[in-house]
Amino acid sequence: MNIIIVGEGERAAWVERVLARLRPLAGIAREGTTHRLGGRGNRESLHALVQAGVDAVVAVDAASLAQASTRDTTAWHEVVRQDAERAIYIRELVARGGCKVLTLVGDDQLAWLSELAGALSLTDIDSAGVEELPPPEAHTTLDSPLVASYLDPLWASLSGTLPRAIVWPRECFLNGDLMGDPLPLVMELAGRARILLYGPYLPLPTGHWRATGCFGFSPDIEKLPFIFEVVTPNSLMRGFFEVQSGGFFTVDLEFQITDLLIPIEIRLASQESALEGQAALIEVRLEAIG
């Protein structure tokens, strides 16, 4: 029986030790492995584990593992991407069938023991002699709006459908006028036709999706057509809309994700030159459909 423990710190280590103690009781001491997956840069490990087959996944304090996986918040985008990859991989394992998912949170040691024993098909365990469950560790919270709007929905739905839409806020997009710079609060439209924003190159679970771009335009804008795009390494979906006056606008675009962990790019481009006007991205909402 192959088991993945997703988590870091003393509580994940405690789970690993408890499973090592329970395996002989279940008669599977030499059958399969227990692998603890924590930290960063785990794509290769995940690929190997998927190929080997996984019977159970134990997510330890996984409300959002990104909050516990970094001490350097300056590289938050990379941390978010890696954490999303872990969640998406686990969802894929569950979708393939036959993989149990245990989400362990809180401080109820007996509940944790019961969950772990159940994963090994043990109905009667003796908790005597089991070391005390460590308390939750204090971690630096990742300073990114993507934690609540993107990572939390992924981790909350490891074994089911997404509970709500995923949101990519303005802060995760990049400036088309200054490549590599963060997208400003207000984009100047004056000038030639061009790409105004792009990014964030983050993955989504496989399936059918709808992207809704939410934009605001200043009162002085003249009639101006735009292109809203969703780009993956093997597809390009494009929608057209025209703004004739200031106000708030939304544009929808449906797309399909068939490959695991591909980076998704959203782009907004003006199609004609403009003398004046400003635009702002409010957010891009992503909903799994069908």
Side-chain angles (χ1 to χ4, degrees), residues 186-208:
V186 174
M187 297 174 283
E188 296 293 339
L189 299 177
R192 59 181 175 78
R194 64 196 187 277
I195 293 175
L196 299 167
L197 67 85
Y198 66 101
Y201 305 107
L202 293 171
L204 291 169
T206 56
H208 191 193

Side-chain angles (χ1 to χ4, degrees), residues 26-268:
I28 55 173
R30 296 171 180 251
E31 299 177 15
T33 62
T34 298
H35 183 89
R36 181 148 63 100
L37 184 64
R40 302 166 64 176
N42 288 302
R43 180 181 290 207
E44 293 78 12
S45 299
L46 284 164
H47 273 300
L49 291 167
V50 169
Q51 294 303 316
V54 178
D55 301 293
V57 174
V58 183
V60 181
D61 296 325
S64 179
L65 291 178
Q67 297 189 46
S69 66
T70 180
R71 304 298 182 270
D72 178 14
T73 58
T74 59
W76 64 265
H77 190 279
E78 182 65 10
V79 174
V80 166
R81 183 188 62 79
Q82 291 169 352
D83 195 59
E85 287 181 352
R86 287 194 286 266
I88 291 170
Y89 253 118
I90 293 172
R91 284 176 54 86
E92 187 72 14
L93 289 172
V94 175
R96 294 184 181 187
C99 178
K100 302 177 184 177
V101 176
L102 282 67
T103 302
L104 303 180
V105 295
D107 296 308
D108 189 338
Q109 178 167 319
L110 290 179
W112 284 41
L113 285 171
S114 177
E115 290 276 2
L116 294 172
L120 301 177
S121 300
L122 289 171
T123 57
D124 186 23
I125 60 170
D126 182 6
S127 60
V130 176
E131 62 184 282
E132 184 177 351
L133 174 66
E137 297 182 39
H139 295 290
T140 301
T141 300
L142 183 63
D143 185 18
S144 167
L146 284 170
V147 171
S149 66
Y150 174 52
L151 293 179
D152 284 350
L154 290 177
W155 283 108
S157 60
L158 295 182
S159 57
T161 57
L162 290 167
R164 61 183 187 273
I166 283 173
V167 175
W168 285 345
R170 172 187 58 82
E171 290 86 347
C172 69
F173 287 88
L174 299 170
N175 187 351
D177 286 333
L178 296 171
M179 302 296 286
D181 281 10
L183 183 67
L185 182 63
V186 174
M187 297 174 283
E188 296 293 339
L189 299 177
R192 59 181 175 78
R194 64 196 187 277
I195 293 175
L196 299 167
L197 67 85
Y198 66 101
Y201 305 107
L202 293 171
L204 291 169
T206 56
H208 191 193
W209 289 83
R210 179 188 297 114
T212 301
C214 304
F215 304 96
F217 296 92
S218 62
D220 59 343
I221 190 172
E222 298 179 349
K223 181 179 177 181
L224 190 63
F226 293 89
I227 303 175
F228 181 62
E229 297 177 322
V230 177
V231 186
T232 73
N234 49 26
S235 69
L236 168 62
M237 300 301 293
R238 178 174 288 172
F240 301 88
F241 68 103
E242 187 174 80
V243 176
Q244 299 188 20
S245 61
F248 296 100
F249 293 80
T250 61
V251 55
D252 293 340
L253 200 58
E254 295 185 8
F255 60 100
Q256 191 83 16
I257 297 178
T258 57
D259 298 326
L260 202 59
L261 301 188
I262 60 173
I264 311 300
E265 181 187 9
I266 305 288
R267 291 197 298 237
L268 176 70

